[in-house]
């Protein structure tokens, strides 16, 4: 069957480029007399960054079915450029091993276009105005919901929102609006009343109500306090969730991710993803971890994986502390700008320890949200205690590859422990360039020396799994790669205490979004690099990210993503410059 009949095309620009490529299928009679090796697709006349140290670049690659069968020179690729092969001249484009976002939340990415998005608003006043306009369309007694406000980006007032900002126009409807980090939120007085929260209501374990001078909660809530309000909001329908998951995968695919690692997927979503897969509507691969609240299910049912490796559920996502921006990250010493050191116990040791031991015995990966240095050190203690408590003869796999998610402040002595314990770190470069706007105030100069310590970890021989944490951040690989290699704001500026020496080389950054996340998901033998026998997942750009000026990374305008899995999907899109 000719591959032209199997192409699924999205976007009018993609159609135009595809038709131009199809014209190359007219292979001359002389060429047909040469040896013809069977292939479905050949990409040639390009520079391929393979993420394979043994063959870092190539000019051409050939694909048969969903696997790579050749990587090499244009001349050697000619033997595949015959028969029914789809031959694509990639002149002016650059091919990369398919990019992986090692930490994000697919459903949240899909929900973002459906709700009030406060991302990118430049002032507190404009943010409140946007909430007011949106709330006016919400019927009385229904919840006003949105996400994405971030005080660190405002140019007028850099403070947290409170109920006093929104009560005047939401008196008859409850409001719940998470900050961009997703670990703190704004609620209004109506929501506090529905929850029965008064000034005498104590802070929950692992959470906090910020309060006015008289002790009355002011509407800014942190961590486990958010669960009280989530329990009051009517659950989303299954149809809504399915649509959000499909939309989230599409949003990821169109910016160039070929695989995403979902950090904390509820089991209802696991079943929906399997349904979407059966319908043939997955536009990216997903490696997932179940939420720790449902750890019992995965420990009973075990790993779940589709035959084509489009979906793989193998982990448990745990939560320990909050975030640095909200002053919820657990620090060893007090914040430099507050008289406390954050909080722990979003998950307690008593609850987690039996889960850790069972996970070792069943080969389930554990990935844990830790941001502050106290959370990092405490979790490493817990991991080590579990390793010592379970004899290695009882471990299901010799290398559990347990992970720290975020791990933004890591003292040198704990960096050494990461090496000795074999723990992986999943980090988001965009957090670094965003948080560094306020991290000097939160941490002071001494702790900044080992905050977002990317190059320090590389120097110790560790690998970093690069991700975005979308929808907390924008979720654009251009921003993540740029942040990793520059450690600068998107406008090219930086500030005192940003430690530019902790940025990484471009070759390192490429591995952070390709082969290293594959290793972090036990998938390095089947994907993550352009090598014969691996899945044919490619991200294709109009810029050479390893050589162009830094700013040009962000202004890549044409970006195409090709992934093959049982049928070839081609998506070529025009992107706006990253903001």
């Amino acid at each position: 069957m000719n591959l032209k009949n199997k192409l699924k095309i999205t976007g009018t620009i993609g159609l135009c480029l595809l038709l131009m490529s199809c014209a190359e299928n007219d292979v001359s009679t002389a060429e047909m007399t040469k040896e013809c090796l069977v292939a479905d697709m050949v990409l040639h006349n390009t520079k391929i960054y393979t993420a394979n140290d043994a063959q870092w670049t190539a000019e051409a690659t050939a694909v048969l079915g969903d696997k790579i069968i050749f990587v090499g020179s244009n001349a050697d690729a000619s033997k595949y450029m015959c028969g029914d092969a789809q031959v694509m001249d990639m002149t002016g484009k650059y091919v990369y091993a398919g990019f992986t976002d090692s930490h994000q939340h697919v459903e949240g990415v899909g929900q973002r276009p459906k709700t009030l998005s406060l991302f990118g608003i430049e002032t507190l006043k404009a943010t409140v105005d946007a909430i007011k306009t949106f709330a006016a369309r919400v019927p009385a007694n229904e919840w006003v919901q949105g996400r994405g406000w971030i005080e660190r980006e405002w140019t007028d007032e850099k403070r947290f929102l409170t109920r006093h900002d929104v009560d005047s126009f939401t008196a008859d409807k409850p409001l719940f609006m998470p900050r961009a980090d997703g670990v703190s939120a704004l609620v209004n007085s109506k929501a506090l009343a529905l929850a029965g929260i008064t000034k005498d209501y104590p802070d929950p374990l692992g959470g906090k109500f910020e309060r006015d001078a008289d002790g009355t909660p002011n509407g800014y809530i942190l961590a486990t306090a958010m669960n009280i309000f989530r329990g009051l909001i009517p659950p989303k329908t299954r149809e809504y969730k399915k649509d959000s998951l499909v939309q989230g995968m599409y949003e990821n695919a169109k910016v160039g991710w070929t695989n995403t690692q979902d950090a904390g997927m509820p089991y209802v979503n696991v079943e929906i993803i399997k349904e979407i897969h059966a319908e043939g509507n997955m536009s990216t691969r997903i490696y997932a971890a179940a939420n720790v609240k449902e750890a019992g299910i995965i420990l009973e049912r075990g790993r779940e994986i589709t035959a084509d490796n489009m979906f793989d559920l193998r982990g448990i996502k745990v939560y320990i502390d909050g975030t640095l921006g909200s002053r919820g990250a657990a620090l060893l010493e007090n914040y430099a700008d507050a008289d406390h050191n954050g909080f722990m116990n979003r998950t307690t040791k008593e609850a987690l320890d039996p889960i850790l031991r069972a996970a070792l015995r069943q080969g389930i990966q554990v990935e844990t949200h830790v941001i502050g240095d106290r959370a990092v050190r405490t979790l490493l203690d817990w991991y080590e205690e579990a390793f010592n408590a379970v004899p290695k003869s009882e471990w299901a796999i010799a290398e559990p590859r347990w992970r720290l998610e975020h791990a933004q402040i890591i003292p040198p002595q704990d960096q050494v422990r990461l090496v000795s314990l074999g723990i992986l770190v999943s980090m988001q470069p965009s957090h670094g360039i965003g948080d560094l706007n306020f991290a000097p105030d939160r941490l002071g100069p001494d702790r900044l020396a080992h905050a977002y310590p990317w190059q320090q970890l590389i120097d110790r021989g560790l690998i970093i799994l690069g991700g975005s944490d979308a929808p907390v951040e924008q979720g654009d690989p251009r921003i993540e790669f740029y942040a990793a290699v520059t450690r600068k704001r998107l406008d090219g500026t930086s500030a005192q205490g940003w430690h530019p020496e902790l940025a990484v080389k471009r070759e390192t950054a490429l591995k952070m979004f390709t082969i290293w996340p594959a290793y972090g998901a036990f998938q390095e033998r089947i994907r993550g690099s352009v090598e014969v026998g691996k899945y044919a997942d490619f991200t294709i750009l109009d810029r050479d990210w390893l050589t162009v000026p830094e700013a040009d990374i962000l202004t890549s305008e044409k970006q195409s993503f090709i992934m093959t899995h049982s049928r070839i999907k081609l998506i070529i899109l025009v992107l706006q410059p990253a903001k």
Side-chain angles (χ1 to χ4, degrees), residues 200-220:
D200 298 321
Y201 197 99
D203 290 342
L205 181 66
K208 183 174 181 155
F209 298 103
E210 291 288 350
R211 299 173 187 269
D212 292 331
D214 66 355
T216 302
N218 69 8
Y220 181 57

Side-chain angles (χ1 to χ4, degrees), residues 472-517:
V472 172
E473 299 286 354
Q474 190 167 332
D476 188 326
R478 296 172 298 179
I479 293 176
E480 299 303 331
F481 190 95
Y482 169 89
V485 302
T486 68
R487 212 170 169 94
K488 297 176 183 177
R489 299 183 183 98
L490 299 186
D491 63 5
T493 63
S494 62
Q496 185 176 1
W498 281 41
H499 289 277
E501 75 278 6
L502 297 181
V504 301
K505 296 178 180 179
R506 298 193 191 197
E507 292 80 4
T508 299
L510 183 60
K511 292 179 180 179
M512 286 171 61
F513 297 101
T514 54
I515 188 62
W516 288 349

Side-chain angles (χ1 to χ4, degrees), residues 160 181-185 203-210 220-227 319-335 338-348 369-376 378 382:
F160 301 128
D181 61 7
V183 188
S184 58
D203 290 342
L205 181 66
K208 183 174 181 155
F209 298 103
E210 291 288 350
Y220 181 57
I221 62 174
L222 292 88
T224 57
M226 297 170 68
N227 296 336
Y319 308 85
I320 297 298
D321 65 345
T323 63
L324 189 66
S326 64
R327 298 189 186 92
L331 303 180
L332 292 168
E333 304 293 338
N334 277 358
Y335 280 86
D339 61 355
H340 65 87
N341 65 341
F343 57 83
M344 294 265 297
N345 295 324
R346 293 177 69 190
T347 308
T348 65
H369 168 118
V370 285
I371 288 182
D373 49 10
R374 178 161 58 105
V376 168
T378 301
W382 295 355

Side-chain angles (χ1 to χ4, degrees), residues 343-548:
F343 57 83
M344 294 265 297
N345 295 324
R346 293 177 69 190
T347 308
T348 65
K349 180 182 180 181
E350 292 72 24
L352 185 58
D353 187 61
I355 293 172
L356 297 179
R357 299 185 187 203
L360 278 175
R361 291 186 170 99
Q362 297 187 37
I364 299 298
Q365 188 179 50
V366 178
E367 48 189 70
T368 305
H369 168 118
V370 285
I371 288 182
D373 49 10
R374 178 161 58 105
V376 168
R377 184 166 299 173
T378 301
L379 182 70
L380 289 178
D381 290 343
W382 295 355
Y383 277 3
E384 186 171 15
E385 288 176 26
F387 289 165
N388 292 334
V390 180
K392 288 195 174 181
S393 60
E394 297 179 19
W395 292 17
I397 50 178
E399 295 182 355
R401 302 186 190 180
W402 286 4
R403 299 164 46 158
L404 305 186
E405 305 296 317
H406 312 309
Q408 292 173 359
I409 304 130
I410 315 177
Q413 69 190 80
D414 294 311
Q415 295 178 22
V416 172
R417 293 182 72 195
L418 290 171
V419 177
S420 63
L421 292 173
I423 303 301
L424 305 178
V425 287
S426 168
M427 308 178 86
Q428 300 72 47
S430 58
H431 283 350
I433 65 170
D435 290 5
L436 283 168
N437 287 302
F438 58 78
D441 293 334
R442 297 285 192 274
L443 298 175
D446 292 342
R447 285 180 291 199
L448 277 177
H450 48 261
Y452 316 93
W454 310 324
Q455 188 58 45
Q456 290 175 359
L457 300 179
I458 299 299
D459 289 342
R460 295 184 187 278
L462 291 162
I463 67 173
I464 298 173
L465 319 181
S468 75
D469 202 15
V472 172
E473 299 286 354
Q474 190 167 332
D476 188 326
R478 296 172 298 179
I479 293 176
E480 299 303 331
F481 190 95
Y482 169 89
V485 302
T486 68
R487 212 170 169 94
K488 297 176 183 177
R489 299 183 183 98
L490 299 186
D491 63 5
T493 63
S494 62
Q496 185 176 1
W498 281 41
H499 289 277
E501 75 278 6
L502 297 181
V504 301
K505 296 178 180 179
R506 298 193 191 197
E507 292 80 4
T508 299
L510 183 60
K511 292 179 180 179
M512 286 171 61
F513 297 101
T514 54
I515 188 62
W516 288 349
Y519 180 87
F522 303 91
Q523 296 173 342
E524 72 276 12
R525 294 185 178 181
I526 61 171
R527 53 174 307 279
S529 58
V530 182
E531 294 185 63
V532 171
K534 291 191 175 183
Y535 283 110
D537 298 351
F538 311 110
T539 300
I540 303 175
L541 307 170
D542 69 339
R543 305 282 172 88
D544 183 340
W545 281 5
L546 277 76
T547 62
V548 297

Side-chain angles (χ1 to χ4, degrees), residues 130-266:
I131 297 172
K132 182 176 182 179
T133 299
F134 181 80
R137 302 195 298 267
V138 177
N141 298 314
E142 291 192 12
W143 285 84
V144 180
Q145 298 185 73
R147 181 171 178 166
W149 61 274
I150 183 73
E151 78 294 333
R152 73 188 186 207
E153 306 293 343
W154 295 336
T155 57
D156 51 357
E157 298 181 72
K158 296 183 184 293
R159 64 169 175 82
F160 301 128
L161 291 174
T162 73
R163 61 185 174 85
H164 305 295
D165 295 306
V166 296
D167 274 355
S168 63
F169 54 83
T170 59
D172 62 345
K173 58 196 74 170
L175 178 146
F176 178 79
M177 218 156 270
R179 185 175 176 267
D181 61 7
V183 188
S184 58
L186 167 69
V187 295
N188 65 351
S189 292
K190 178 76 169 179
L192 288 166
L194 286 174
I197 307 299
T198 66
K199 67 180 181 180
D200 298 321
Y201 197 99
D203 290 342
L205 181 66
K208 183 174 181 155
F209 298 103
E210 291 288 350
R211 299 173 187 269
D212 292 331
D214 66 355
T216 302
N218 69 8
Y220 181 57
I221 62 174
L222 292 88
T224 57
M226 297 170 68
N227 296 336
I228 298 169
F229 300 89
R230 288 190 175 114
L232 298 175
I233 298 172
K236 297 178 178 66
T237 66
R238 194 177 190 280
E239 292 73 20
Y240 183 94
K241 293 174 75 67
K242 182 176 181 178
D243 181 74
S244 296
L245 288 165
V246 171
Q247 181 69 26
M249 284 185 278
Y250 173 74
E251 294 294 326
N252 287 326
K254 79 178 186 181
V255 296
W257 301 117
T258 66
N259 184 299
T260 59
Q261 298 181 0
D262 194 288
M265 179 177 286

Side-chain angles (χ1 to χ4, degrees), residues 12-131:
T12 57
I13 295 295
L15 178 60
C16 295
L17 292 178
L18 179 65
L19 291 176
M20 288 189 289
S21 298
C22 290
E24 297 184 29
N25 250 11
D26 298 328
V27 182
S28 68
T29 303
E31 289 174 319
M32 290 293 289
T33 62
K34 299 178 182 178
E35 177 186 13
C36 183
L37 299 181
V38 176
D40 285 329
M41 179 175 69
V42 180
L43 307 180
H44 71 120
N45 289 338
T46 186
K47 188 168 189 176
I48 302 173
Y49 285 106
T50 67
N52 171 20
D53 284 332
Q55 184 186 17
W56 187 247
T57 62
E59 296 176 322
T61 185
V63 176
L64 181 63
D66 58 4
K67 300 289 174 55
I68 297 166
I69 58 172
F70 168 82
V71 183
S73 67
N74 286 325
D76 289 341
S78 63
K79 66 187 70 173
Y80 297 94
M81 298 165 63
C82 52
D84 287 338
Q86 179 73 41
V87 180
M88 301 185 69
D89 187 339
M90 304 304 291
T91 300
K93 299 181 180 64
Y94 299 85
V95 179
Y96 304 80
F99 292 163
T100 294
D101 186 337
S102 73
H103 183 112
Q104 70 150 245
H105 309 276
V106 178
E107 183 183 12
V109 172
Q111 287 178 5
R112 190 159 56 186
K114 302 178 181 182
T115 58
L116 174 62
S117 175
L118 299 172
F119 286 90
I121 300 180
E122 296 182 351
T123 65
L124 182 150
K125 181 181 184 304
T127 299
V128 173
D129 287 345
I131 297 172

